Amino acid sequence: MACDYCTIRSGVKDLDLHGNAVPIDLVLIGADAFPLAMNPRGQVLIAASRYGQGCMVVLRHEGYLSRFPSLIENALMWLMPCTSDASIVGIQRKLGSVADNLRNSSISTKLGEFCEGLAVYITDAYSVDACAKNLIAFVKAGGGLIIAGQAWSWAKAHPQENVFLNFPGNKVCSVAGIYFTEHPGERGVFPVSSNIPSSWLADFKNDLEILLKGVPQFDIQGSLASELMVHGPFAFPIAVTPAGQTFIAGAYYGQGRVIVVTHEGYLGRESLSTFLINAINWLDEGRKGVIGIIPSLTGAQKILSKSGLNCQLTNFREDLSVHVCTSYSDAECEKIQICCSCIYVIQCFMHAGYPIMMHSTSAPELMKPKKANKSDLWGFIHELGHNQQRGVWEFPPHTTECTCNLWSVYVHEKVLGIDRATAHEAMTLKKRQDRARDYAKGGRDLEKWTMWTALETYMQLQDKFGWDVHSVTDAFKKVFAAYHDMTGVPNNNPGKMNLYAETFSKVVKMNLSSFFKAWGWPIEPSTEQKISHLPEWSDHPMKQYE
């Protein structure tokens, strides 16, 4: 990047921006975009970037194309493809003065509209609507582009429209991380730095007003609020803990928008529904398109459907307006970045996956076996438990932060020799009994069957039937194993809950329908019929609350 900068600014010591032209600011994002010139206020005057195999240079007023011939000639030499036979610079017909300035150079020019066979094309930022896709493809394939203009007049004529998204020039240069803005820039004579100057930061006041409308607070009780590092001029924090840690953030990227949430469980929370619906509408930008939600996030679909938009459980498709996904897979990552807006979920305290990731300051405690039984490892093993979860026996959002704790209990008791009540304060017998009692007296509402309350269902099963080779039935391992070769598993929570009740009953050879019904599970008569030949578990722990 430093070499690119030196090539373009070679011999240019200052820029005289006096005159009647109304310049505007440019805003840069991404690792490949860099300013070529800035004024003392930090406003970007001219910028450049790479995109795909090609490059582009962006100027904040079309008048600069003829005012600074040395800079334009340098830029053309930098933009000229190295691996192509094309050598002609196409220039928009109305910019004939640019061609006149190049008449005595070695550069061959051609006035006219954009067409194939060019090495570089020079255009204003107002006339690219019709050829935006072709210009993007041209640059991506190795072509060069110089584009110049100002969005101040356009913004005045289109007061209801978003400049970043709808100004014609931004439909092209945004893919390379450069945006025209409507902010008037300062006039004057400005020196060109010998080194790449720093960039200008965007204002996200309007975005936050939309995202936080009707949101007095963020209720994330019961989940670890991991911290996001918000970096770059087009990224901004949305929700921050009292300690100043960002756990939800937003950003503009290319022609789209992104929201990053630090826990997938948040997407199914009724208490966050107002924010989530605001977020979907902000991401959709009024297109009223299809909101694609990966199938494992059924809780998110229930919440987001309240937006009135068409929310579908689906993997990524190119016809989506918004894609809601987790960070556990990078499939389709490139298409998502280029094609649509996205809610992206990532858990950052310790990241479940392969490889496992965590803060470097936390790693030593996990790597000291002799101290393992003296340290707080519940959170670490909780994240490892996420690696073991399978959608066929998961009921999101209820069990997302629940069943992973089965591994926390198992490892503490069977590997580290620590009783569950000692391993975590929430696992004392009294607190377990209080949760079960309160849940039953509260109407056995599945909306409240989450995390610790949901875990008690599994703990009561474990207390009765065990889970490892030392127990009589080896229940949990056999239940999980039964799913390995299972086909035709339902893709909705009620169907999966009925299948789980049937599978567990058959593994332990006992009719568990009354137990699961006591927890509020929607057990169907057909499921009860399938296990009716088994002896009933009539003295289960929830019986006392009937």
Side-chain angles (χ1 to χ4, degrees), residues 5 34 46 80 126 132 135 138 154 197 216 235 302 406 411 437 442:
Y5 176 78
F34 58 96
I46 304 170
M80 202 68 69
Y126 320 114
L135 284 173
F138 168 69
W154 185 92
K302 181 178 179 181
L406 291 173
V411 170
R437 183 195 65 243

Side-chain angles (χ1 to χ4, degrees), residues 8-169:
I8 300 171
R9 65 164 289 277
S10 177
V12 181
K13 296 182 179 180
D14 56 48
L15 298 172
D16 185 350
L17 302 184
H18 285 111
N20 296 325
V22 180
I24 50 84
D25 293 340
L26 299 175
V27 171
L28 314 185
I29 68 170
D32 294 321
F34 58 96
L36 294 170
M38 291 177 67
N39 63 27
R41 291 175 55 192
Q43 296 173 314
V44 178
L45 315 176
I46 304 170
S49 183
R50 293 184 178 274
Y51 176 68
Q53 299 179 51
C55 314
M56 66 174 68
V57 172
V58 182
L59 298 90
R60 69 178 191 173
H61 197 284
E62 64 274 19
Y64 296 176
L65 291 171
S66 56
R67 184 178 294 185
F68 307 117
S70 297
L71 182 70
I72 296 302
E73 190 167 344
N74 289 347
L76 287 172
M77 298 306 296
W78 177 67
L79 292 166
M80 202 68 69
C82 299
T83 58
S84 171
D85 294 331
S87 60
I88 296 175
V89 175
I91 303 175
Q92 190 180 29
R93 192 171 299 278
K94 67 176 72 173
L95 301 176
S97 58
V98 180
D100 292 340
N101 286 342
L102 296 171
R103 188 168 297 163
N104 296 325
S105 72
S106 60
I107 299 171
S108 300
T109 63
K110 175 183 177 182
L111 287 176
E113 301 305 310
F114 174 72
C115 61
E116 294 184 3
L118 300 175
V120 181
Y121 188 62
I122 302 176
T123 180
D124 65 36
Y126 320 114
S127 311
V128 295
D129 252 334
C131 60
K133 291 184 178 179
N134 291 335
L135 284 173
I136 291 171
F138 168 69
V139 176
K140 188 174 184 180
L145 177 68
I146 296 180
I147 182 169
Q150 52 86 14
W152 178 76
S153 299
W154 185 92
K156 288 189 68 176
H158 303 82
Q160 303 301 317
E161 297 197 47
N162 186 310
V163 172
F164 288 136
L165 299 171
N166 298 324
F167 178 63

Side-chain angles (χ1 to χ4, degrees), residues 292-298 300 312-316 323-327:
I293 305 166
I294 61 171
S296 63
L297 297 177
T298 53
Q312 301 178 11
L313 289 176
T314 177
N315 290 317
F316 178 74
H323 183 54
V324 183
C325 61
T326 66
S327 63

Side-chain angles (χ1 to χ4, degrees), residues 265-410:
Y266 297 168
L267 298 185
R269 287 202 173 195
E270 185 64 37
S271 60
L272 298 179
S273 61
T274 299
F275 165 72
L276 294 170
I277 291 170
N278 290 347
I280 283 294
N281 283 298
W282 182 77
L283 291 165
D284 180 65
E285 305 170 41
R287 292 186 292 265
K288 305 295 183 183
V290 176
I291 312 302
I293 305 166
I294 61 171
S296 63
L297 297 177
T298 53
Q301 185 201 25
K302 181 178 179 181
I303 295 292
L304 298 177
S305 293
K306 296 178 183 179
S307 66
L309 296 174
N310 181 6
C311 297
Q312 301 178 11
L313 289 176
T314 177
N315 290 317
F316 178 74
R317 310 193 314 249
E318 293 199 10
D319 66 327
L320 297 179
S321 174
V322 179
H323 183 54
V324 183
C325 61
T326 66
S327 63
Y328 304 127
S329 171
D330 59 1
E332 306 293 347
C333 182
E334 181 179 351
K335 288 182 181 180
I336 290 171
Q337 290 178 346
I338 292 171
C339 296
C340 74
S341 297
C342 178
I343 288 184
Y344 191 67
V345 187
I346 183 167
Q347 174 74 7
C348 300
F349 171 70
M350 182 176 180
H351 185 83
Y354 303 95
I356 298 161
M357 291 173 280
M358 69 188 79
H359 292 299
S360 58
T361 54
S362 304
E365 292 303 314
L366 190 62
M367 299 297 116
K368 297 176 182 176
K370 292 183 179 180
K371 295 185 178 181
N373 62 347
K374 298 179 183 179
S375 302
D376 180 8
L377 297 183
W378 184 280
F380 294 114
I381 305 168
H382 167 102
E383 295 302 330
L384 293 171
H386 278 302
N387 281 3
Q388 310 305 321
Q389 289 174 314
R390 298 294 179 267
V392 289
W393 44 260
E394 277 294 299
F395 319 121
H398 309 290
T399 57
T400 303
E401 295 305 312
C402 158
T403 53
C404 52
N405 284 325
L406 291 173
W407 277 264
S408 293
V409 177
Y410 182 89

